[in-house]
Amino acid sequence: MTKIYVRPVNKDQDVKLSDGREGYLHIERENHSYRYVFKFSAHAHHSFWYEGVQLPNGLEVEVHTIDGPERYKILVG
């Protein structure tokens, strides 16, 4: 499982991954919540998004890809 380290601010930001790679978190405002879009420059990881009022610390996400499932754990702090 790859961990994604996110700062506790609701703003676009660069993120670090536990395997040393980097990514980007883009935040879009929805009606009564946010869409958190995670994008990764390396092809080793697949992009995904999460919708919610806030991004919960410790959230585990499984992304289904053509290469099989990929698991992430988001650590806010």
Side-chain angles (χ1 to χ4, degrees):
M1 178 180 307
T2 304
K3 295 175 185 165
I4 305 172
Y5 302 100
V6 178
R7 292 190 322 264
V9 293
N10 247 6
K11 295 184 178 180
D12 292 358
Q13 58 185 284
D14 294 324
V15 296
K16 302 282 185 189
L17 283 73
S18 58
D19 64 3
R21 292 189 167 92
E22 297 181 352
Y24 188 73
L25 169 58
H26 173 69
I27 300 174
E28 300 172 359
R29 181 81 168 122
E30 297 292 319
N31 288 334
H32 300 289
S33 65
Y34 295 94
R35 177 177 285 184
Y36 300 90
V37 182
F38 290 88
K39 296 182 179 185
F40 307 105
S41 54
H43 295 289
H45 298 292
H46 297 274
S47 301
F48 69 94
W49 55 267
Y50 169 80
E51 281 189 13
V53 176
Q54 67 180 18
L55 190 60
N57 185 39
L59 175 69
E60 293 187 14
V61 177
E62 184 171 275
V63 178
H64 297 277
T65 72
I66 195 166
D67 300 322
E70 183 172 12
R71 295 185 54 85
Y72 296 101
K73 184 170 190 173
I74 301 171
L75 300 174
V76 180

